[in-house]
Amino acid sequence: MGHTVLLIEVRCVGDTGTLQLQPQHKRHQQTGVNALFHCISLFRLKDLEVPKLGDCDVHVKMLAAPINPADINMIQGTYPLLSPLPAVGGNEGVGEVLEVGRHVTALKPGDWVIPADAGLGTWRTRGVFPEKMLLKVPSDIPMLCAATLSVNPCTAFRLLADFESLAPGDSVIQNAANSGVGQAVIQIARASGIKTINVVRDRPDLPKLVERLMALGADHVITEEMLRKPEMKDIFKSIPRPRLALNCVGGKSTTEMLRHLQPKGTVVTYGGMAKQPVMVPVSAFIFRDMRLRGFWMTQWRKDHAQDQKSVAAMMDALCQLIRRGQLTAPACTKVPLQDYRAALEASMKPFVSSKQILLL
């Protein structure tokens, strides 16, 4: 029996956008955005035989898999976790179990599963994986919620749970609020009674974006320019200043968010979309005792590999929110696997508010 995979055999390398190929491809070197689009041309669909099912293996029919920023970073060669080439793309998705090996105990045909960690290679129609590389999820939640569950909602859950003891009525400020993590933060915080101040870049369709985030439960949606204006004080007439800031951008955006934190507040960086360093005034450390932390979901999973109770509790909490309608999938565009080029290109465009989901 065969299956189709989206395979990359050559990787782009370098923070500058320079495309560095294997020696036989060096005549194609480009820079900037063109290099990224050339990287897309290095992907190809390939039909392969499904590997033989081992005693501890699970045969999975993939249903849907998103394209995340980390996937693009892997194409560029700038992500800390890089699979040996040739590699199947994709780190997230949901599939249905078709068959299990004789030593598999936790899964059965018909179950839905998601990757237990990054690097699984989800852009494929079928796959045979060790049982330990999969997590069972309820099949009664929407497919797009399941497909986008293991990265962004888990990250948002940990960001809100692990760095400050937040109670109903407290507030959080975050940039990149329209990202997948940002949308999940808004919804999880709302369900917990936590107020959110959400920072986005100015854009032509800003009113539409503000309306969408407010519908998710955002309390305030402001632009990065607004962060620097005296009118920010009006926000804190109705809600307390936050003790937690969530940074996915870097640069000035982070510095300006920090100014609005309470003393002894915490800034957690989990992304760097602006590709600019986090710059903090010395006075923020000396006189306000600010804390700067970092978070990477992949590392959290490694640190808790032997603590399946914590993993299960997180997944159960998120699935309960989904069932209650308090956590939905981010805005998505569903794309057939054969149209992967258009999906990859769309995911690289600026001001993208819709996640590309490959239907498999």
Side-chain angles (χ1 to χ4, degrees):
M1 184 183 297
H3 71 301
T4 303
V5 302
L6 186 50
L7 202 68
I8 184 169
E9 297 180 303
V10 184
R11 182 175 285 124
C12 309
V13 179
D15 293 329
T16 61
T18 301
L19 180 63
Q20 298 176 1
L21 308 181
Q22 294 175 350
Q24 66 269 32
H25 296 286
K26 281 192 175 179
R27 61 189 177 88
H28 295 298
Q29 285 190 358
Q30 305 177 53
T31 58
V33 175
N34 287 337
L36 297 180
F37 287 111
H38 187 80
C39 284
I40 294 173
S41 72
L42 302 175
F43 272 99
R44 61 191 179 97
L45 290 176
K46 188 172 182 178
D47 292 326
L48 301 174
E49 286 297 313
V50 175
K52 183 180 178 181
L53 188 72
D55 289 344
C56 298
D57 290 340
V58 180
H59 183 190
V60 177
K61 177 185 183 297
M62 294 303 300
L63 302 174
I67 299 175
N68 289 317
D71 301 321
I72 303 302
N73 294 151
M74 285 185 172
I75 298 171
Q76 295 171 279
T78 59
Y79 200 68
L81 180 66
L82 299 176
S83 301
L85 298 179
V88 179
N91 293 286
E92 189 178 30
V94 63
E96 180 182 348
V97 174
L98 297 179
E99 187 181 4
V100 301
R102 60 178 181 169
H103 293 161
V104 173
T105 58
L107 297 171
K108 64 183 185 302
D111 286 345
W112 277 14
V113 290
I114 63 175
D117 205 348
L120 190 66
T122 55
W123 299 347
R124 64 173 89 210
T125 55
R126 295 175 185 239
V128 173
F129 310 107
E131 180 185 15
K132 65 181 181 180
M133 296 177 66
L134 302 170
L135 287 176
K136 181 180 176 180
V137 295
S139 57
D140 63 346
I141 62 175
M143 183 180 70
L144 292 183
C145 287
T148 57
L149 180 59
S150 64
V151 177
N152 294 331
C154 290
T155 298
F157 185 91
R158 300 260 60 98
L159 290 173
L160 291 170
D162 292 353
F163 296 94
E164 289 283 348
S165 298
L166 300 173
D170 287 343
S171 71
V172 173
I173 188 169
Q174 64 166 343
N175 55 25
N178 60 308
S179 67
V181 172
Q183 293 178 56
V185 164
I186 290 170
Q187 295 175 86
I188 296 170
R190 178 65 177 268
S192 303
I194 298 166
K195 309 295 184 181
T196 56
I197 304 164
N198 302 278
V199 186
V200 298
R201 289 181 296 172
D202 199 3
R203 63 193 65 210
D205 63 343
L206 181 62
K208 186 176 180 181
L209 175 60
V210 171
E211 181 181 358
R212 184 157 61 83
L213 295 182
M214 295 294 283
L216 289 178
D219 294 282
H220 298 276
V221 181
I222 60 175
T223 64
E224 292 186 345
E225 290 74 20
M226 178 70 176
L227 273 175
R228 307 178 185 100
K229 293 184 177 180
E231 289 82 358
M232 279 294 295
K233 294 179 181 178
D234 294 337
I235 291 177
F236 302 118
K237 292 178 180 178
S238 58
I239 63 174
R241 286 186 177 271
R243 286 185 287 115
L244 179 65
L246 307 177
N247 169 46
C248 186
V249 177
K252 291 182 179 180
S253 175
T254 314
T255 308
E256 295 298 334
M257 281 202 308
L258 181 144
R259 297 183 195 282
H260 300 294
L261 286 183
Q262 293 184 28
K264 299 183 182 296
T266 303
V267 179
V268 184
T269 294
Y270 67 95
M273 294 169 58
K275 291 184 167 58
Q276 296 174 357
V278 173
M279 303 181 70
V280 179
V282 172
S283 60
F285 290 116
I286 298 174
F287 303 117
R288 302 177 65 211
D289 192 17
M290 293 299 182
R291 298 104 191 266
L292 268 65
R293 300 286 303 275
F295 182 79
W296 184 28
M297 192 67 220
T298 299
Q299 188 62 51
W300 187 92
R301 292 189 189 280
K302 289 179 181 178
D303 294 343
H304 293 78
Q306 306 304 318
D307 182 15
Q308 289 305 303
K309 285 187 177 180
S310 293
V311 176
M314 173 178 66
M315 301 306 294
D316 182 63
L318 291 170
C319 289
Q320 289 293 342
L321 289 174
I322 292 170
R323 288 193 183 99
R324 294 199 294 262
Q326 294 176 302
L327 178 63
T328 60
C332 295
T333 301
K334 295 180 282 188
V335 182
L337 179 60
Q338 60 266 28
D339 295 332
Y340 70 90
R341 291 179 186 271
L344 286 168
E345 288 180 7
S347 68
M348 294 180 182
K349 291 179 180 177
F351 303 118
V352 174
S353 295
S354 181
K355 186 176 290 293
Q356 303 294 303
I357 306 285
L358 296 173
L359 298 181
L360 308 165

